[in-house]
Amino acid sequence: MSLRSPLARAPRARRIGAGAVTALAAVSLAACTSNTPSTENEDASGQQAQNVVANDEPGDEVVIGFSAPAADHGWMGSITTSAKKAAEQYSDVDLRVAEGTNDVNLQISQVETFINDGVDAIVLLPFDGAAMTPVAMKAMEAGIPVINVDREFDDPNAARVTVLGDNYGMGVSAGTYICSQLEGQSDAVVAEIAGIDSLPLTQDRSQGFEDALKSCGLDVDNRVAADFTVEGGERAASNLLQAAPKIDAIWNHDDDQGVGVLAAIQNANRDEFFMVGGAGSANAMRSIKEGGSVLQATVIYPSTQAADGIKLARLLAQEKALGDLVEVEVPREVQLYAPVVTKENVDQFLPTAFES
Amino acid sequence: MSSPGVTESQDAEQPARAAGPEQPHESTRRTGGGDLSTRALSLLQTGVGRNAGLVVALLLLCVVGAFTAGDRFASTDNALTILRLAATIGVVSIGMTFVITGGGIDLSVGAILALSSVWCTTLATQVIAEDTHWIVMAGVALLVGIGCGLVNGVLISYGRVVPFIATLAMLASARGLAEIISLRRTQIVTVPGFRDFFTARLLGVEVQVWLFALVAVIGWVVLNRTTFGRRTIAVGGNPEAARLAGINVRRHTVLLYVLVGVCCAIAALMLVARTTTGSSTHGTLYELDAIAAVVIGGTLLSGGRGTIVGTVFGVLIFTTLTNVFTLNNRSISEQSLLKGAIIVVAVLLQQRLANRKSSE
């Protein structure tokens, strides 16, 4: 940690201090405060910390433009707030936030404004990846590196770096965890509450889940789809509980809709099963920490990926390399891991979880 | 009974925008009051005066923009950014001006835009377009717009469904159909030439911006200089009187909704070119943006008075506001709040003017 760090981190550290974070190693603290998912740093040990410090040293002043869709979901809200927090960490970053819109026309004009301004880098979570491709291309052609977060452009040349979550991996993590919990019960009833079914991300999650269950001889017995909202989750779960009189395990794709799912479970007075969540909201994690609920675990889809985007944008603009890699240049693509959060490791993930 | 006829002859002599407000409710025409306040009021009530208010508002915004963002605001590139943003919603708003002037409302503009964008980018359409010309896509979009407008118009004038309800139904169905056709996926345009046409520059300005200008000019001429425009005002002001004067009100109403449908299709094509995609999520909440622009422009929501110039200013005011906020790193939420305030102030001012006028 550099001399600057304690000062810069003081407010955050206080906030986190309430938790059991103090018990964690210095590396983990660095992970929390730097807004990168801890998994990236876990296996990195001391060397990573050194590299982070080297890169964290103030460099050239850089202007980063940031645009994301409207915060109509806890996860999306956290995308913007964690990106802002990541930028606040650095005295050399001037973050311009063109906030929250689901209108591609408007989001395009926001990016055009960044291009006019001649910002040093643009971090973009598009409302619609394909629709934002032309303007991202325009930025790249103007010599401004674009960091594409979460929703991919349809042309790889439109982004210098792409930061992605792992939807398929989420399904695999959830399935593998359920397999380990139901070991040996090949007749166990597994249910799945998906998000919006027509979205590729939902299909990827379900595919991963199915594949992982298959490897231990299980399959999805009951499957319903909701729509990422509390209300939709409640409706879907009520139907599911009606349809399946006995369940052993449920995977619910999304913790925001999980609030509704848990309400439905409570209304139906059911507790013969355990549930695994998805996305990783602070709500869900607190409930996992307390115990006593059917919610035993959740699988993370990092809401801090735009924050990673900001960090990478800064490195790019300052022509620095990514610590811990031999490469001189920042990689082309970073795909984040989808870890399972249980009572045992929840403290490690709680600080970066999103509030729904 | 003879009033619309009289109106028409008066219009021909009147400055165009002044003609609008004076229309059918009135049997007595004011010829400018005696004392100063009435005179000032009458100036406000003419098109020039009302638009002066809008010009002042826009200039004020520009001053704020230039003051807070300096050269970042006052540059050609930024002006073009504002115009590009304004173009799509602007074309929709021109169509909306006609419907509202004609005493109706169209809540389905965003949904029609989405459906047009999806339909003209389906694989089948694009395959045909690749074999022939991208104009096929434009044709498909226009047909969708016309079709939706026709359904709206027929339901409203022959089915006697209230415009609010009929177009609300279209809002739901058109977007639903767009989702079904696209399977909620984003359809990418691969046809060569399509995007090039709309993003090509003419005198340094993109074709899509010129299209907006063209639609606005045509809209102004049609509303102020043609029988169609005068009929629109008559139908909106007093449909019964218009009917008695021999205007086919039902047919005219259908035409108005077809017209707004066409505008939506044009806007859809512009958005498809801008994003290179057709999607069922395009145009979300455009109905509100368009109505807001029309209303602050000075068109009466109850019909009978409409101004294209006002609408263009309304659109520019809102898009400039967005731009100034973006440049200053301010949130969309604050902007929405201010937008609401602007609408309320504009409408309150209008009402005051209308009340004073009727009490005279």
Side-chain angles (χ1 to χ4, degrees):
Chain A
M1 312 284 140
S2 71
L3 281 172
R4 194 182 67 85
S5 308
L7 280 173
R9 291 195 179 122
R12 272 192 69 79
R14 253 204 307 282
R15 239 169 42 75
I16 298 161
V21 171
T22 36
L24 293 173
V27 176
S28 292
L29 185 62
C32 300
T33 50
S34 63
N35 265 320
T36 41
S38 319
T39 45
E40 274 197 345
N41 296 346
E42 258 173 4
D43 49 0
S45 73
Q47 205 191 345
Q48 165 89 4
Q50 264 177 16
N51 280 334
V52 166
V53 167
N55 272 341
D56 277 351
E57 289 294 338
D60 301 337
E61 184 84 17
V62 292
V63 181
I64 300 174
F66 173 74
S67 172
D72 46 15
H73 186 280
W75 186 87
M76 196 56 91
S78 169
I79 280 288
T80 303
T81 46
S82 54
K84 282 182 185 164
K85 268 182 205 158
E88 275 164 19
Q89 249 186 276
Y90 299 107
S91 56
D92 53 2
V93 170
D94 173 8
L95 187 69
R96 306 236 169 107
V97 184
E99 214 183 323
T101 175
N102 287 352
D103 176 4
V104 284
N105 193 24
L106 180 53
Q107 199 174 20
I108 288 173
S109 89
Q110 291 175 339
V111 176
E112 284 174 346
T113 304
F114 292 146
I115 299 172
N116 293 343
D117 280 1
V119 296
D120 298 303
I122 296 171
V123 178
L124 185 61
L125 201 171
F127 174 67
D128 181 328
M132 294 301 288
T133 304
V135 76
M137 199 75 111
K138 205 164 129 189
M140 290 287 283
E141 278 161 11
I144 302 170
V146 176
I147 292 84
N148 181 199
V149 180
D150 188 43
R151 301 178 186 174
E152 270 181 285
F153 298 139
D154 66 329
D155 185 333
N157 296 323
R160 167 62 183 81
V161 186
T162 306
V163 182
L164 295 171
D166 186 3
N167 285 302
Y168 180 81
M170 267 180 88
V172 171
S173 292
T176 311
Y177 177 77
I178 287 176
C179 278
S180 73
Q181 296 294 303
L182 295 176
E183 215 175 3
Q185 306 177 40
S186 57
D187 57 343
V189 178
V190 179
E192 179 183 2
I193 303 175
I196 298 172
D197 235 352
S198 57
L199 296 179
L201 72 94
T202 299
Q203 290 154 10
D204 289 349
R205 289 176 188 184
S206 289
Q207 190 59 50
F209 190 51
E210 201 187 310
D211 291 352
L213 287 181
K214 206 183 283 171
S215 67
C216 69
L218 288 172
D219 60 355
V220 179
D221 298 278
N222 295 83
R223 185 177 185 283
V224 288
D227 58 358
F228 294 127
T229 68
V230 175
E231 199 195 340
E234 200 273 339
R235 209 166 34 227
S238 306
N239 288 332
L240 172 73
L241 295 172
Q242 280 295 325
K246 193 195 158 289
I247 300 172
D248 293 295
I250 298 180
W251 181 39
N252 165 50
H253 285 205
D254 180 73
D255 286 337
D256 258 20
Q257 82 183 18
V259 175
V261 170
L262 286 172
I265 291 171
Q266 218 158 40
N267 289 340
N269 264 325
R270 298 274 292 267
D271 61 356
E272 81 277 11
F273 49 79
F274 68 92
M275 182 168 118
V276 179
S281 77
N283 239 348
M285 289 194 198
R286 280 191 289 264
S287 160
I288 290 166
K289 193 175 171 179
E290 278 166 25
S293 147
V294 290
L295 188 62
Q296 254 184 36
T298 188
V299 188
I300 289 186
Y301 190 78
S303 67
T304 42
Q305 42 188 297
D308 288 327
I310 301 287
K311 291 195 154 228
L312 292 172
R314 175 176 167 273
L315 294 186
L316 276 174
Q318 295 180 343
E319 292 172 358
K320 289 178 181 165
L322 189 64
D324 251 22
L325 294 186
V326 180
E327 307 313 317
V328 179
E329 294 282 355
V330 172
R332 196 80 166 74
E333 185 173 308
V334 178
Q335 186 166 36
L336 305 171
Y337 184 59
V340 178
V341 178
T342 60
K343 199 166 185 169
E344 283 72 46
N345 63 2
V346 62
D347 287 328
Q348 200 183 335
F349 293 100
L350 202 44
T352 50
F354 68 89
E355 296 289 344
S356 32
Chain B
M1 157 112 212
S2 64
S3 72
V6 173
T7 320
E8 293 204 9
S9 67
Q10 280 168 349
D11 276 355
E13 300 148 19
Q14 282 282 321
R17 257 158 292 107
E22 307 288 352
Q23 287 282 338
H25 339 260
E26 285 176 306
S27 46
T28 58
R29 295 183 61 84
R30 273 180 317 93
T31 48
D35 66 72
L36 201 69
S37 74
T38 349
R39 198 172 291 169
L41 197 62
S42 75
L43 179 70
L44 265 176
Q45 276 162 1
T46 62
V48 180
R50 221 180 15 253
N51 287 332
L54 292 167
V55 173
V56 169
L58 187 58
L59 281 179
L60 211 65
L61 260 176
C62 290
V63 169
V64 172
F67 192 71
T68 54
D71 288 344
R72 296 171 55 221
F73 177 82
S75 71
T76 323
D77 283 340
N78 192 50
L80 284 176
T81 299
I82 295 176
L83 287 175
R84 279 193 296 264
L85 177 62
T88 318
I89 191 71
V91 170
V92 174
S93 303
I94 300 288
M96 186 69 90
T97 309
F98 275 89
V99 173
I100 292 181
T101 307
I105 190 108
D106 192 342
L107 300 180
S108 60
V109 286
I112 296 176
L113 191 156
L115 183 60
S116 296
S117 82
V118 164
W119 213 317
C120 78
T121 53
T122 53
L123 199 59
T125 316
Q126 290 208 49
V127 166
I128 299 171
E130 263 175 44
D131 290 343
T132 51
H133 191 263
W134 62 261
I135 206 84
V136 173
M137 291 169 66
V140 170
L142 287 170
L143 280 179
V144 172
I146 291 170
C148 291
L150 211 57
V151 172
N152 273 339
V154 168
L155 275 176
I156 290 162
S157 53
Y158 295 97
R160 294 184 184 277
V161 183
V162 187
F164 189 92
I165 302 298
T167 58
L168 187 66
M170 180 58 79
L171 181 157
S173 327
R175 211 172 276 285
L177 185 57
E179 285 177 1
I180 291 170
I181 293 175
S182 66
L183 300 171
R184 297 178 81 157
R185 296 211 181 99
T186 303
Q187 302 177 155
I188 299 162
V189 177
T190 51
V191 179
F194 180 79
R195 179 176 152 78
D196 299 342
F197 173 78
F198 286 91
T199 52
R201 282 175 182 243
L202 207 67
L203 304 175
V205 178
E206 275 96 343
V207 168
Q208 44 178 333
V209 176
W210 284 115
L211 259 179
F212 171 37
L214 189 70
V215 170
V217 169
I218 293 176
W220 185 87
V221 171
V222 170
L223 186 63
N224 298 303
R225 289 281 187 268
T226 66
T227 321
F228 183 88
R230 283 189 287 272
R231 283 182 179 166
T232 303
I233 292 163
V235 167
N238 187 340
E240 186 57 18
R243 193 183 62 81
L244 292 173
I247 298 175
N248 188 338
V249 174
R250 287 183 171 180
R251 199 188 62 190
H252 193 84
T253 306
V254 174
L255 287 178
L256 285 177
Y257 285 93
V258 170
L259 188 133
V260 74
V262 169
C263 285
C264 292
I266 296 172
L269 288 168
M270 289 158 68
L271 195 59
V272 168
R274 189 158 147 86
T275 62
T276 63
T277 60
S279 163
S280 57
T281 57
H282 281 351
T284 309
L285 294 183
Y286 274 25
E287 53 279 1
L288 296 187
D289 286 341
I291 294 171
V294 169
V295 166
I296 72 160
T299 298
L300 265 192
L301 205 47
S302 51
R305 189 180 83 192
T307 150
I308 297 289
V309 177
T311 298
V312 171
F313 272 110
V315 170
L316 289 179
I317 285 175
F318 281 137
T319 41
T320 310
L321 184 75
T322 305
N323 182 259
V324 172
F325 269 68
T326 307
L327 286 174
N328 283 301
N329 232 346
R330 310 302 306 198
S331 79
I332 292 269
S333 318
E334 291 169 347
Q335 190 189 318
S336 304
L337 190 71
L338 192 59
K339 213 165 157 180
I342 290 176
I343 295 172
V344 170
V345 169
V347 172
L348 280 179
L349 272 175
Q350 274 186 34
Q351 270 178 1
R352 262 176 75 102
L353 292 175
N355 286 343
R356 289 241 212 130
K357 200 163 118 185
S358 60
S359 64
E360 265 169 34

